[in-house]
Amino acid sequence: MDRSRRLFPAQMSALQLPAVLLAAFALRAQLCSAACVEVDSDTEAVVGAGFKIGCISCKKRGEVRAIAVVNWYFKANGDSEFSHIYNYADQTPYIADERFYGRLAWNGSKKTLDLQEGSIYILNVTYNDTGTYHCYFDRTLVFPFYEFHTNASKTINLNVVAKATRGMASILSEVMMYVSIIGLQLWLLVEMIYCYKKISAAGEEALRESALTSELFL
């Protein structure tokens, strides 16, 4: 009786192997799509052109649901205090400073309340846009029985020039972004291969056990 009970689970393990592998591939794709990498913003804009001021704040635990609000502040050269210029909450943008009316657009996370990118885009950059920009994330992590409030901020010093000159900091920032993404992909690939080998070994052992059990019943 014990041997007959062992036959059915062994057969099921072999049959379920393709489904388990498919689930592993699906999990890898989900992790890749959810990857977040914090990259510093470019700091040199060209007068008369558009410019993206980057601001990314990744959650430490991607599986935790969160709600975030992003606020931007600006201090022009010569000013002593920051002015509130932009707010993005509940997927709704609001321009708070008349100097930027019609010239600021949201360029961050879309179709979600769980904001991890809070970048904005300046249209028709002027020399008056030179100064210090402060990006502020106000994030609420939602757990089953409580909520936890946290915040993060980034400071970007923007310089407006007549002609683009790509600086070394911009090049290094872009290189580091790609290195981080490639490193994450390689890590996921190694994990997938390791899981595949373990599942394959378990499947082969189950098949051998099933064959041995069948021979004993014959």
Side-chain angles (χ1 to χ4, degrees):
M1 182 65 68
D2 292 339
R3 290 173 180 170
S4 63
R5 287 198 186 100
R6 291 168 59 190
L7 177 61
F8 181 72
Q11 291 175 335
M12 285 300 293
S13 297
L15 292 173
Q16 289 177 341
L17 181 58
V20 174
L21 292 177
L22 181 61
F25 278 106
L27 177 60
R28 179 179 179 272
Q30 182 179 3
L31 289 173
C32 290
S33 63
C36 176
V37 179
E38 295 191 10
V39 181
D40 291 336
S41 174
D42 287 336
T43 58
E44 187 176 270
V46 178
V47 65
F51 183 77
K52 175 182 176 180
I53 309 181
C55 180
I56 301 175
S57 173
C58 300
K59 294 188 301 184
K60 303 303 181 184
R61 295 179 58 183
E63 75 278 7
V64 177
R65 188 170 70 89
I67 300 173
V69 174
V70 175
N71 284 286
W72 280 88
Y73 301 86
F74 171 61
K75 184 175 70 172
N77 286 348
D79 289 352
S80 59
E81 296 182 354
F82 280 91
S83 300
H84 185 212
I85 63 171
Y86 193 83
N87 169 270
Y88 189 86
D90 296 325
Q91 302 184 51
T92 303
Y94 172 70
I95 301 175
D97 192 309
E98 62 181 9
R99 291 173 293 181
F100 294 92
Y101 284 169
R103 295 200 304 121
L104 281 185
W106 178 250
N107 203 197
S109 303
K110 295 179 173 61
K111 298 181 179 179
T112 179
L113 299 178
D114 189 358
L115 306 175
Q116 296 195 76
E117 180 174 3
S119 304
I120 56 175
Y121 194 84
I122 304 179
L123 301 169
N124 190 24
V125 172
T126 70
Y127 286 112
N128 291 331
D129 296 329
T130 300
T132 303
Y133 292 80
H134 188 72
C135 168
Y136 185 85
F137 275 84
D138 186 5
R139 178 176 287 131
T140 301
L141 302 175
V142 182
F143 294 93
F145 301 107
Y146 69 98
E147 295 181 347
F148 181 78
H149 296 277
T150 184
N151 57 69
S153 62
K154 305 280 184 179
T155 300
I156 303 97
N157 293 308
L158 181 64
N159 183 39
V160 179
V161 297
K163 185 178 180 180
T165 56
R166 193 177 186 193
M168 183 59 67
S170 174
I171 297 174
L172 290 176
S173 176
E174 185 172 345
V175 170
M176 289 302 299
M177 176 186 70
Y178 287 115
V179 169
S180 300
I181 293 174
I182 292 172
L184 178 61
Q185 294 283 344
L186 290 175
W187 177 79
L188 290 172
L189 179 61
V190 170
E191 286 292 316
M192 186 182 67
I193 293 173
Y194 174 74
C195 293
Y196 172 78
K197 289 183 176 180
K198 288 192 67 175
I199 295 171
S200 297
E204 291 174 0
E205 179 65 25
L207 289 174
R208 285 195 295 269
E209 185 178 350
S210 176
L212 178 61
T213 305
S214 299
E215 291 175 0
L216 293 176
F217 274 97
L218 293 178

